[in-house]
Amino acid sequence: MISRKDMLPLLGSLLMLAGSSGLPASDEIPGAPQDHPIALVGGTVHTVSDGTIEKGTVLFDKGRITAVGLQVKFPEGTEQVDVRGKHVYPGLFDAYTNLGLVEINSIRATRDEREAGNLNPNVRAEIAVNPDSELIPVARSNGVLLALTAPTGGLLSGKSAVLQLDGWTWEDLTVKSGAGMHISWPSMSPVSDWWIEKSAKDQIQERDKQLKLLEEIFKQARLSMQARQGKEKVPGDLRLEAMIPVLQGRQPIIVSANSISQIQSAVAFAVRQKVRLIIFGGYDAPACSALLKQHAVPVIVGSVYRLPRRRGDDYDAAFTLPARLHQAGVSFCIASNGRFGASNVRNLPYHAATAVAYGLPAEEAIRAITLSPAQILGVDDQVGSITSGHDATLIVTSGDPLETTTRVEHAFVQGRQVELSNKHTRLWQKYRTKYQQQRDAAGQ
């Protein structure tokens, strides 16, 4: 029997799920399962993993890519889609969002991204996702077909999940549950500014308290795991049980850290605990490049559109961050996370485009929003590139997706052709009609 104490984390997760039921619903209907082979013929195929194929063909059936190349034999009943003059890319992948957990940032009732308390390793983000979010079709219409949705709040926030952006339920959307355990690393140095109420001494004491708490829960989880392996009877604790995949190396910790001291401290902790580490944010990561490469720690760049963190920083420090990581040989990908959260996931390709304008090679920018996030989050055997055997999760565009003038003309998620309409396009059609009717009336 589960005790009242152990029930609290479970009830918290259930409340996160229940809280999503009253959110607005989009009008778009999820795509029907693929029931016949489809071939995209004659387009420029950007495989990402194996170069570019001019006038190539991508064949997929039952949700999986079956052939890619110039000479592809079509099985009987294949639907051939002429994409000459078009471009075929893997679905774009946003590596850090609150998509499906937040609908309108300013309305508390639509924000379901954080749980009460400081330590919530048992929280699973995907069960709180609202599949009917209006923001999912908006992101999808600009080519973003995959996203990591992550919880926030407290020191140990819980587990994120990789989602594909089409489906009736959160189970349909989930590509990988437990993609990472999220930790918000404490600031290592006192901060002095007008909004800071605590003294430097109090900030240091709070930092030490948080780090000690983190060490303690990892110690307790390891003792609990060892006791279970020794077949001892151990009282049930959902929080400690949730940490077993981390301790076994099957699940990374994803640490929010930007400063040099935060990154160094997080790496030291991961080495000491013998766990896998991913840095999210990574503003000062180039200064720690040798350390990150030594311990094979990748970085999820927490948006390119952000301000310099210090008065003496270059104005374009955030814009050049991906290029500097690339030059240093640090594994990285680009996320759209920022001030407006899920509503700006649609702008993911333009974060990558800005990185190109500030020194990142264009092919690396595409990789940073397709294959690299898939590799970092452990789903590259399924998505992230146009490869035979992988999911047919891909887009057909009129040009380079990093250009704002490019349109996404077709999108497929596991072979299902999905809707590209959304709230934005419906409003555009509505007011286009309105003004056309007013002009017609004025001309009579």
Side-chain angles (χ1 to χ4, degrees), residues 181-185 253-257 262 266 277-281:
M181 181 73 72
H182 289 258
I183 299 173
S184 180
W185 206 259
I253 56 172
I254 301 178
V255 172
S256 296
Q262 282 181 310
L277 171 65
I278 298 171
I279 294 293
F280 166 69

Side-chain angles (χ1 to χ4, degrees), residues 269-283:
F269 176 83
V271 171
R272 192 163 58 249
Q273 295 291 339
K274 298 180 181 179
V275 297
R276 292 163 52 209
L277 171 65
I278 298 171
I279 294 293
F280 166 69
Y283 184 89

